[in-house]
Amino acid sequence: MTMKIAVLPGDGIGTEIVAEAIKVLHVLREDFGLDMETEEALIGGAAYDATGTPFPEATLKLCQAADAVLLGAVGGPKWEPLDYSLRPERGLLGLRAELELFANLRPAILYPQLVAASTLKAEVVSGLDIMIIRELTGGIYFGQPRGRRVNADGEREGFNTLYYKESEIRRIGHIAFQTAQKRNRRLCSVDKANVLECTELWREVMIEVSKEYPDVELSHMYVDNAAMQLVRAPKQFDVMVTENMFGDILSDCAAMLTGSIGMLPSASLDKNGKGMFEPIHGSAPDITGQGVANPIATILSVAMMLRYSFNDAVNADRIEKAVTAALDAGYRTADIASQGTLKTGTSAMGDAIIAALRA
Ligand code: IPM
Ligand code: MG
């Protein structure tokens, strides 16, 4: 059966990096029999400019009908003055909510070739392989009430709500334990149970879920300590599971351990394993249009798509090996460059990975 992939390049470097991922998909189709077709749609600021909304109905329809979604990035300074409801980010958050993509998998793996690109000492990060599981459709990102208002004293107020019901915690808990079972069987649940009732419930439910996974060792850590431990001794972690905003923050932090946020893919899955796949970085307005962005996170997101949504481990492995081979050959975009490597632009990096695929 032909797999349908909805492609949403979005804003900024989104279009540049997605173009490279599409090149890789085409090679897999032509040379390795991958049965897929792609269709593009608008999201984010690009959608707002063309249609007046960052999340057009046609885009939602296409994504609902597709087997998987590949997304570039959304946002940029141009749209910052807009009301929240019209910001590019609403497109991405709307998609996560509408498709119920509650499970966000963010692997942070350090390629041995990039040890020198990390700002941390080689002995701290070499061999790093962590999986951060971020709850993606609840927590403070979506809790009600939220908003801004002027209070009785004429002062402006802003407020958001950290809210979880236990079923939301339980379902991400199951994903986390099952992920840990396929890895080193250690799960660290990150919360702020010393201060926030909502995450006290989070901890309680994680402990309840753990009873069904006696082979996985569960530990708990406060989020402030977790941030510190990630830069102090990151290799202590195998799988981490946490609330939406904590996961947003910790995954950027983990990204830097690997040398560059330009290396990290992600999968956002619904309860049936259907998903959206995107690099964890943003639209990078500062380097947009220069042809220098690193396409690897997006290309590795395609590998995650093949693995998680299409059950195609063979082609997923092919992509991951080709990325390794391109790095071995010395190709480096600016974000991961170091002495003696070949300074490579976005499309040249895509070409290097394709050459390795075909080799
Ligand atoms: C991410 C991003 C998004 C988020 C933004 C672009 C809305 O930072 O995927 O980590 O905050 O979830
Ligand atoms: Mg983020």
Side-chain angles (χ1 to χ4, degrees):
M1 207 186 61
T2 306
M3 293 299 180
K4 292 197 179 58
I5 305 173
V7 177
L8 315 179
D11 307 320
I13 59 167
T15 49
E16 302 167 41
I17 54 180
V18 165
E20 299 313 308
I22 298 289
K23 273 164 46 180
V24 167
L25 276 167
H26 285 167
V27 170
L28 290 176
R29 182 168 64 190
E30 281 148 34
D31 293 17
F32 301 101
L34 179 68
D35 192 6
M36 66 89 203
E37 59 188 34
T38 58
E39 192 172 335
E40 270 197 31
L42 293 165
I43 190 90
Y48 173 79
D49 288 348
T51 70
T53 161
F55 187 29
E57 188 65 30
T59 299
L60 175 59
K61 289 249 156 64
L62 179 74
C63 294
Q64 281 168 334
D67 297 299
V69 182
L70 178 67
L71 184 131
V74 297
K78 180 179 171 191
W79 302 284
E80 268 161 28
L82 290 174
D83 185 77
Y84 265 96
S85 61
L86 296 173
R87 296 249 186 113
E89 289 77 6
R90 295 319 304 173
L92 177 57
L93 296 170
L95 210 46
R96 289 174 180 170
E98 289 290 336
L99 300 180
E100 290 184 68
L101 306 172
F102 67 92
N104 186 212
L105 275 48
R106 298 189 160 190
I109 296 170
L110 177 74
Y111 282 73
Q113 300 89 338
L114 300 186
V115 171
S118 178
T119 48
L120 276 84
K121 290 193 194 103
E123 66 263 30
V124 175
V125 290
S126 67
L128 183 85
D129 181 349
I130 330 181
M131 176 69 90
I132 296 184
I133 298 186
R134 168 186 177 193
E135 200 292 326
L136 202 60
T137 52
I140 198 165
Y141 269 49
F142 291 94
Q144 295 288 347
R146 63 185 296 159
R148 293 180 54 151
R149 65 189 169 208
V150 177
N151 71 13
D153 301 325
E155 241 196 302
R156 286 169 298 165
E157 299 178 333
F159 51 100
N160 291 89
T161 304
L162 176 54
Y163 171 91
Y164 274 111
K165 53 185 175 191
E166 59 174 311
S167 56
E168 292 174 303
I169 304 171
R170 192 161 283 123
R171 67 180 180 178
I172 193 72
H174 281 292
I175 300 283
F177 279 100
Q178 286 161 17
T179 305
Q181 279 183 323
K182 292 185 205 130
R183 295 174 47 105
N184 293 321
R185 297 168 189 267
R186 286 183 295 113
L187 176 63
C188 179
S189 171
V190 176
D191 61 40
K192 189 71 185 175
N194 52 343
V195 178
L196 303 172
E197 289 84 348
C198 181
T199 70
E200 183 185 49
L201 175 67
W202 176 283
R203 186 177 287 216
E204 233 168 78
V205 174
M206 285 297 162
I207 292 170
E208 288 162 19
V209 175
S210 75
K211 307 285 184 262
E212 292 176 49
Y213 303 90
D215 54 332
V216 175
E217 181 198 314
L218 174 67
S219 61
H220 306 273
M221 204 178 268
Y222 297 141
V223 63
D224 49 351
N225 185 26
M228 181 174 77
Q229 295 300 332
L230 267 177
V231 287
R232 192 188 75 87
K235 284 186 272 183
Q236 70 185 282
F237 298 111
D238 177 22
V239 180
M240 303 172 91
V241 63
T242 192
E243 185 270 337
N244 202 341
M245 186 168 73
F246 295 165
D248 179 46
I249 297 167
L250 292 180
S251 61
D252 267 33
C253 182
M256 271 326 289
L257 306 173
T258 71
S260 167
I261 195 166
M263 294 298 297
L264 264 61
S266 79
S268 308
L269 306 173
D270 75 2
K271 64 177 191 302
N272 303 314
K274 173 175 166 175
M276 176 157 78
F277 300 83
E278 54 173 318
I280 81 155
H281 61 71
S283 58
D286 53 322
I287 56 164
T288 296
Q290 298 173 23
V292 298
N294 186 349
I296 292 181
T298 314
I299 290 170
L300 291 174
S301 296
V302 171
M304 287 190 93
M305 172 188 297
L306 296 176
R307 201 179 293 286
Y308 287 95
S309 281
F310 300 169
N311 262 320
D312 183 353
V314 174
N315 279 316
D317 284 344
R318 278 200 176 103
I319 294 179
E320 287 161 2
K321 287 207 181 88
V323 168
T324 303
L327 293 174
D328 279 337
Y331 294 102
R332 300 283 190 281
T333 42
D335 55 317
I336 50 174
S338 54
Q339 272 214 325
T341 56
L342 303 164
K343 209 151 193 209
T344 312
T346 308
S347 85
M349 182 59 99
D351 292 343
I353 292 167
I354 285 168
L357 265 177
R358 290 191 155 138

